[in-house]
Structures are given as structure tokens and as C-alpha cells.
Amino acid sequence: MGDRTHTHTGAAGRAATAGGPASVRNVVLVGHSGSGKTTLVEALALTAGALNRAGRVEDGATVSDHDETEQRRHRSVQLSLVPVEWDGCKINLLDTPGYADFVGELRAGLRAADAALFVVSAAQEADAVEGVTRAVWEECAAVGMPRAVVVTHLDTARTSFEEMTRVCGRLSGHDRPDTVLPLHLPVRGPEGPDGHAPLTGLTGLLTGKVFDHSSGERREVPPSAEQRGPLQEARDRLIEGIIAESEDETLMDHYLGGGGIDVATLVGDLEKAVARGSFHPVLAAAPPAGDARQGIGTVELLDLVTRGFPSPAERALPAVTTPDGTPRPAPVPDAGAPLVAEVVKTSSDPYVGRLSLVRVFSGTLRPDDTVHVCGRGLDGPGGGTRPRHEADVRVGALSTPFGGQQRPVDRCVAGDLACVSKLGGAETGDTLSDGGDPLLMEPWSLPDPLLPLAVRAHGKADEDRLSQALARLVAEDPTMRLEQNEDTHQVVLWCMGEAHTDMALERLRSRYGVRVDAEPHRVPLRETFASRTVGRGRNVKQSGGHGQYAVCEIEVEPLPPGTGVEFVDKVVGGSVPRQYVASVEKGVRAQAARGVATGHPLVDVRVTLLDGKSHSVDSSDAAFQTAGALALREAAADTRVQLLEPVAEVGVLVPDDYVGAVMSDLAGRRGRLVGTEQVDAERTLVRAEVPEIEIGRYTVDLRSLTHGTGRFDRAYARHEPMPPQLADRLREAGRNDAKSG
């Protein structure tokens, strides 16, 4: 595997069309920000002949052409697809963002792929690499996705391939480090003045062949005498690791007995172990230098992908149901089977409009086909939702992306990916199926967005376009939720982090032409009475014409949390006519919804109507509604009105090293520790109840506190009384805002 010399040209896509799913490889590149994923994709495309020596496609665009947000921020923020051809296979390289805020793009890449390349930088600190990579590694392990590791930036001073291999070995657990082993050892040239020896080539551990790139071309040379010792030690360990994963149980006895095993048998067992996800080879890679077409390790990587990674036909497909939830047989990865496909990404192109990146799991998708689009509803934090939707839609043009180009294709077969234009209102995560037999695929896992961004239109023109722009933004990004908060009257975008919010604001402005202003997010507070009190509402106006006459007396008493507002009628003798009792209740409830002290809804009280007066001519429904509201306000003036704040149940999953810091931080946020739970050998789940006003930015703060290794979830628990001193500060701030307004 990887010891051949190749020269490849030709357009990706012909192999997939000719050979169907068996000739497709879908590979997602994952790794921490700055690990070199995009550079590696370009190097692989150059080696495969998809780029010229200047790193450009035919129209002069580069494979890494990004949208306007990426160009300004010099950071990948979206999933990109680069198809190349190698050894008769179409390889769909899915480049994902490394920044944690864009986990939705990462999950989309994992859904579309059948194998993963973990790209790690030797220039990064080992703890940072392991912490960021572990969560995705475990996610792939849970579904049995094949994985390999690529170590980059070995040309940087004081880097160690061996150390990074040990770090990656810990990802598989302390009991299975020998499932993450190198296939090749890097070859370094003479040390420079800084003491650093540059990377010049690779040595294949199974074949012993050395491929040297020091001349600018990849050529085979014999191993030197000083290379043979480390080579043999690493080779023995690799062979033992391969044999341990072999399905042939006699190999280990044969090997331990001193018998030799031929390279072809080892390579065959290696490829099988990689394909089923039980062995994870480590390779080194460096981009081409100068005018060279082949970078160090790029041929070896492409060989690994085509020979070691499974085709779509070898992978289990996600479960499907009917739109009403009835289970159906699993789809078949065959081009002639009924259509089952999924929108894994939605984007907007300035020339062709909305583009949907679709993975076809079963059947064949063609232009002008009529398909059934089905999307499930999703509940989000704070009431944010995505409504369920279904429609029959006619498919527009199909294309495959490459840099700034969209290359037309006449069909997309099972296992392949393509961009579809004008796919109606399809959103990311929607299922495409035959109209006569609509299906819905099992959704992929997505974390809840937990950082709120409250926005308002900058001007009248922006206000007219804001709703549509926000709807399109949320349809493109499944990790973003839109909430119209009825309590605070704010429009809230729930995002994954600060970079995610910055991207949302920038895209609203640059892509949709909408200017918005961000404002502080307000949590929905409540009011309640601290003690029993009474109030009298007198609405008497008789200054000529038809007057108003209504008087009511009420008693208000606090109730247990979660009770709401109760209304009790205890009027005797008809002092308030029966037809007006409901009017008093309506006025009381309307005033409770508006609040009686700070403008927040009043809850957890019982209002009892005791007495009142009426007039045979001037009493009316409206008059008694007003009297009921006045009575409630008067009652509030004679007692202390307590502010209630929402409290969330919070679960924080962190490495054991950060448990103390997290618990101290939660205590500083007025949190109450509920308990801790050991999740595995190295991580603990900390459970606490924390006021929501204290965790508005906890996503950002936790990432900083734990160096990106911690994550949390939250759920509304109840409203509780706010400390008096804090409530007084909020009341004062509200009065100041009212004066300034």
C-alpha cells in the first residue's frame, strides 16, 4: 500500500459513473484549526492531476477558493467538496472547518463520508491536539467509521512524528494503543543551523522502500545503514499490530514461531482491518515544494484511500422511516434501487442561487427528476424551532464543485455527491426520495446552539428584509436556531460561539444585504407577590355622555412555584353582577401578563374577587376590565414584588484535570452543585443548577477555561426568587433605560 509510482490525469466523476458505488470513496478530513487540512487537500488534488503545477484548475481558480467570510477571516468556516480521481476511483475529499464553532459543518462531513482522515499538526501542543481530536474520534468509533491519521507540519523546527503518533495512539484508549501505528517513517535531511533536519521523504515499513523527495521528484532509493535499526523496530510493531487484527488466527502462531509472512498477505490484512475500522494507520505528509507535483506522502495517502478505505457499497446506511415514523427496510447502496438521498449542506451562490450538496445513498438522482423533500421538525433552546415540512420538488441542474467552478453532471449515482440547484425550500438535513414512496432518514447528531445573539433591524429597509434573511440563514445552518421570544420581544439567533455569531452577522450584511444591530440578550424574568395583600380598583368616569362605573376589591396571595395565576370569585349579594365577574378576571390576567412592577409577567398568585360596585347604566365589560387591572396594580403597591429568574439544569463534561476549576467557576455564577459522575477513565460530568442570567456566555467561557475540551448542555428547570440586591440593580437599570429612551 503506497509503494507505487503514479501519474494520473483526467476528470473525476467518470470512474463513479462507470463503476457505481464500488468506485467511489467519500473521505472527510477533520482536525484542529490550523492543522493543514485545506493545504493537504490541495496537495492531494495536485498529485492526482486535478490541479496544475501552479495549484489552479482550468479557469484559474484554486481548489481552496472560499466564500467572502473565509477570505476576510482567513479561516475555513464551511464544508467544501473537492473530487479527484485516482486508480479508477472517484475520491470525494470533504474538507471541514477545524474551529469548534462550526461543528455543524463537521457533522455534515461525517454524515456524507464513509471514512475519516484525522489531520494533526506536529507543531501543535500534544495536549491541545488530543483534547480537540478525542471527541470526533469517539464519535467515529461509535459508528465504526474507518479512520487514519495524517501528521503535518513536520518541517517545523522541534517537531516529532514519533511523539505525535504516541498522542494519537491514546485516542483509541489505554488498552488499544497498538491499533494506531505508522505505515511509514519520515526521512529527514541534514540538520540546518537551527538544529532542525528537514523532511525529505518516507520509508515504507512493510516493504522497506525509501521514497526520496529531496530532488523535487519522488524517487526510490535504498535505505541507509542508520535507518535500518529504527526501521526494523517499527516494522516489527506494525506487523504485530496487523496480525492482531487479522481474521486469520493462524498468522500469530506462525509469526511467533519464527515463520515469515509475505508482504502481500500483510497488506491484504491491513487493508481489511482499516476498512472495518479496527486499525488506524498513521502517515506523514507535506505539500509539494517548488514546481514539484507530488508532495511527501500524497501518493501514499491516495493509495490508502483507494485500497484501504471502504466504498459506499461496503458501509451500513442510516435507518429510514415513513414521514409518520413507521420503520422501513434499510436502503440499498445500488444505483438501480429506489432513490434515498440527503441534503448535507445548503449554501447560496451569487449566480445560481441556493445550492444543495446532496449525498445519494440509494438509487440515482438526475436533473428534472421530481422528488419528495421531507424535513423533520426540531425543537431548540428557548423555544427556537425548525418546522416540519414536506413537498414534491423538481430537481434543477446537477453539478460537482471544484474551487470556484460548478462542473455539470448528468446524474449522481448511489454513494456519490453532487450539488443540486433550485431544490425548492429544501434545508440541510432534509431527505429526498421517490414521490410515490416518501421516506425520512434518521437524523445525524447535532449539538444544541447555546450562545444567544439578540438582533434588531438597523433601519426600516432592513426590517422589511430581516425575516426572510434570517429564515434563509437558519435553513443553511442546522446548528443555528431562530427564536421569536414572546416574553422579551427579542429576535434571538442561538449560535455555537463567538465566531459563529460573527459569521452570521457578516453573512446577513454581505450575502443578504441586511444590516442588523446586536443587543444584549434578555432572559425571561417573572414577578410574584412576596406576601398576602389587598387592592381596590375604582374606575369611575361620569363627566358627560356615556360614563364608566366599576369598582372591585381583590385579595392577592402568593402560591407555590409553577402554579401560574388563579382567579377565585367570592362575591356575595350580587355587588358585582355575574356577567362582569369574567370581565374582572380578564382585566386581572391582562395586567398580570404585562407585569405590575418591572414589566415582567406576574405568576404564582391567587387573585380572589371579594366585593365591588356597579351602575345600572354606566357599568360595562370594558369598565370592569379596567377596574380589575387597577386593583391588581394597587395591591402590588402595598407589598414587595419579588423578581423570579429562570434556573437551568447544567451538565458539564470535562477532563478530570479541569473538574476543580469548573466547579469553582459554577459557584461564582451562583450555581448549586448537584453532583458529579465519572463518565470514563479521564472525564467527569459535573451537574449543577445555575441561574440562566449567569450562563449567557458560558459556551465561550467554558471553552477558554478547559482549552476547548469541555462541553455542556442545559435545560430549563424552574423560576426562583432573585437575590434582592441583584433585583434592585435590574430595577434601577430599567428605570435608567426608560429615562434615556
Side-chain angles (χ1 to χ4, degrees):
M1 184 185 293
D3 288 343
R4 296 173 292 167
T5 301
H6 300 266
T7 302
H8 281 261
T9 57
R14 291 197 301 266
T17 300
S23 60
V24 178
R25 301 292 184 273
N26 297 311
V27 182
V28 61
L29 284 82
V30 301
H32 50 87
S33 184
S35 61
K37 296 183 296 296
T38 302
T39 301
L40 179 59
V41 168
E42 292 180 350
L44 294 172
L46 178 61
T47 298
L51 298 177
N52 60 31
R53 288 179 182 268
R56 296 184 176 274
V57 292
E58 288 87 338
D59 67 348
T62 65
V63 70
S64 57
D65 279 349
H66 303 304
D67 72 358
E68 66 281 358
T69 305
E70 293 179 314
Q71 291 169 359
R72 276 190 285 270
R73 299 186 180 276
H74 305 288
R75 172 194 292 157
S76 294
V77 300
Q78 63 181 355
L79 174 72
S80 61
L81 168 63
V82 178
V84 301
E85 185 183 353
W86 189 257
D87 262 6
C89 287
K90 180 185 180 184
I91 304 174
N92 290 314
L93 298 170
L94 294 151
D95 185 13
T96 63
Y99 200 67
D101 281 13
F102 306 108
V103 65
E105 303 288 322
L106 167 64
R107 298 289 175 87
L110 291 172
R111 178 68 158 206
D114 302 300
L117 281 177
F118 281 75
V119 184
V120 299
S121 171
Q124 293 273 355
E125 292 186 6
D127 290 345
V129 170
E130 185 176 358
V132 173
T133 306
R134 179 179 293 277
V136 184
W137 185 276
E138 292 174 349
E139 191 171 329
C140 292
V143 297
M145 177 176 282
R147 285 146 282 157
V149 178
V150 185
V151 181
T152 60
H153 298 158
L154 286 166
D155 277 335
T156 307
R158 294 179 296 278
T159 55
S160 171
F161 177 78
E162 292 74 16
E163 173 60 24
M164 198 51 61
T165 299
R166 284 192 290 271
V167 169
C168 294
R170 294 199 291 266
L171 296 174
S172 283
H174 294 291
D175 57 337
R176 301 199 71 201
D178 286 343
T179 62
V180 183
L181 295 172
L183 291 187
H184 309 84
L185 291 184
V187 178
R188 296 187 179 274
E191 289 187 359
D194 61 352
H196 174 62
L199 187 68
T200 60
L202 296 174
T203 301
L205 291 179
L206 292 182
T207 64
K209 295 180 180 179
V210 178
F211 288 95
D212 180 70
H213 291 253
S214 59
S215 65
E217 297 294 332
R218 182 176 183 267
R219 59 191 182 90
E220 184 180 343
V221 299
S224 63
E226 59 269 18
Q227 290 174 333
R228 290 192 177 95
L231 174 64
Q232 188 59 48
E233 181 181 343
R235 184 177 191 273
D236 290 343
R237 190 177 178 199
L238 174 62
I239 291 174
E240 291 173 5
I242 294 172
I243 292 175
E245 298 300 326
S246 174
E247 296 175 347
D248 185 350
E249 298 180 357
T250 66
L251 280 184
M252 181 61 77
D253 292 336
H254 184 67
Y255 178 72
L256 294 177
I261 302 175
D262 64 273
V263 172
T265 299
L266 291 171
V267 170
D269 283 342
L270 170 64
E271 292 172 354
K272 292 176 184 177
V274 171
R276 65 173 178 265
S278 62
F279 188 86
H280 317 293
V282 183
L283 300 93
D291 293 333
R293 172 173 290 280
Q294 295 174 345
I296 297 175
T298 55
V299 168
E300 288 78 6
L301 262 175
L302 290 168
D303 279 348
L304 171 67
V305 168
T306 56
R307 300 173 60 187
F309 282 166
S311 71
E314 301 171 81
R315 295 282 296 158
L317 301 187
V320 296
T321 66
T322 60
D324 64 5
T326 304
R328 294 294 302 276
V332 179
D334 185 277
L339 177 69
V340 180
E342 188 172 40
V343 179
V344 295
K345 177 179 171 57
T346 309
S347 60
S348 296
D349 186 277
Y351 301 105
V352 300
R354 179 180 289 191
L355 278 176
S356 302
L357 179 61
V358 172
R359 160 77 191 256
V360 178
F361 289 92
S362 177
T364 300
L365 185 66
R366 295 179 176 86
D368 297 325
D369 282 350
T370 297
V371 300
H372 188 81
V373 176
C374 186
R376 65 182 70 242
L378 297 174
D379 294 327
T385 61
R386 285 172 176 265
R388 176 173 170 169
H389 52 274
E390 288 188 65
D392 287 331
V393 176
R394 186 178 179 182
V395 175
L398 299 185
S399 60
T400 184
F402 201 93
Q405 296 180 333
Q406 289 291 333
R407 297 171 174 172
V409 294
D410 61 358
R411 62 189 180 275
C412 183
V413 301
D416 206 356
L417 294 104
C419 288
V420 184
S421 63
K422 301 176 182 177
L423 197 56
E427 301 180 358
T428 301
D430 285 2
T431 302
L432 312 183
S433 57
D434 292 332
D437 186 18
L439 298 172
L440 190 60
M441 298 193 77
E442 179 184 45
W444 71 80
S445 171
L446 285 171
D448 282 332
L450 296 173
L451 182 66
L453 171 67
V455 297
R456 64 172 182 269
H458 183 75
K460 178 61 178 174
D462 303 304
E463 189 174 324
D464 295 338
R465 298 192 301 268
L466 179 59
S467 178
Q468 182 180 6
L470 288 172
R472 293 178 67 182
L473 194 66
V474 170
E476 293 179 7
D477 189 345
T479 59
M480 196 174 286
R481 298 280 187 271
L482 179 62
E483 174 195 358
Q484 305 272 354
N485 194 294
E486 295 180 357
D487 291 327
T488 64
H489 307 292
Q490 286 186 313
V491 176
V492 182
L493 272 176
W494 289 87
C495 303
M496 299 301 302
E498 287 183 310
H500 203 201
T501 61
D502 290 347
M503 183 204 71
L505 293 172
E506 190 163 326
R507 284 187 173 167
L508 285 173
R509 177 184 57 79
S510 62
R511 182 176 291 179
Y512 302 115
V514 179
R515 296 178 302 163
V516 298
D517 298 320
E519 59 183 10
H521 174 250
R522 298 190 293 272
V523 301
L525 303 178
R526 300 284 186 268
E527 299 174 346
T528 194
F529 280 37
S531 60
R532 177 186 172 280
T533 186
V534 296
R536 187 170 190 265
R538 187 173 185 274
N539 181 25
V540 178
K541 295 181 181 179
Q542 294 176 311
S543 58
H546 186 47
Q548 296 183 44
Y549 192 96
V551 178
C552 63
E553 296 179 3
I554 63 172
E555 177 186 74
V556 185
E557 56 187 315
L559 292 178
T563 308
V565 177
E566 290 185 7
F567 184 84
V568 179
D569 172 23
K570 287 190 176 180
V571 173
V572 294
S575 57
V576 177
R578 304 311 308 163
Q579 67 267 30
Y580 295 136
V581 171
S583 303
V584 175
E585 180 178 1
K586 187 182 296 183
V588 166
R589 291 190 180 279
Q591 185 63 56
R594 293 191 296 269
V596 294
T598 61
H600 301 291
L602 178 71
V603 297
D604 302 336
V605 293
R606 178 184 292 121
V607 180
T608 303
L609 178 60
L610 301 174
D611 201 358
K613 296 180 180 179
S614 65
H615 189 276
S616 59
V617 175
D618 292 337
S619 290
S620 65
D621 171 69
F624 270 99
Q625 283 192 47
T626 302
L630 290 171
L632 189 61
R633 292 208 298 268
E634 181 181 288
D638 290 339
T639 190
R640 182 167 65 89
V641 176
Q642 212 167 35
L643 268 183
L644 303 176
E645 60 180 339
V647 175
E649 295 177 346
V650 174
V652 188
L653 181 63
V654 291
D656 291 344
D657 292 344
Y658 297 107
V659 169
V662 165
M663 292 172 65
S664 296
D665 180 72
L666 290 174
R669 299 172 187 270
R670 299 190 285 125
R672 294 187 296 272
L673 183 66
V674 175
T676 60
E677 178 183 336
Q678 197 71 32
V679 174
D680 54 36
E682 299 176 351
R683 292 180 301 174
T684 297
L685 180 65
V686 179
R687 297 193 181 278
E689 294 180 343
V690 191
E692 289 191 10
I693 201 170
E694 302 286 352
I695 55 173
R697 289 178 50 84
Y698 193 57
T699 291
V700 178
D701 298 337
L702 178 64
R703 189 175 298 163
S704 175
L705 183 66
T706 64
H707 300 282
T709 60
R711 59 182 186 269
F712 83 106
D713 56 57
R714 57 185 280 189
Y716 170 77
R718 60 190 172 276
H719 274 71
E720 288 186 354
M722 180 180 287
Q725 64 275 17
L726 181 56
D728 291 342
R729 286 202 299 270
L730 288 180
R731 291 190 184 98
E732 183 64 28
R735 285 192 288 267
N736 293 336
D737 289 343
K739 291 178 182 178
S740 62

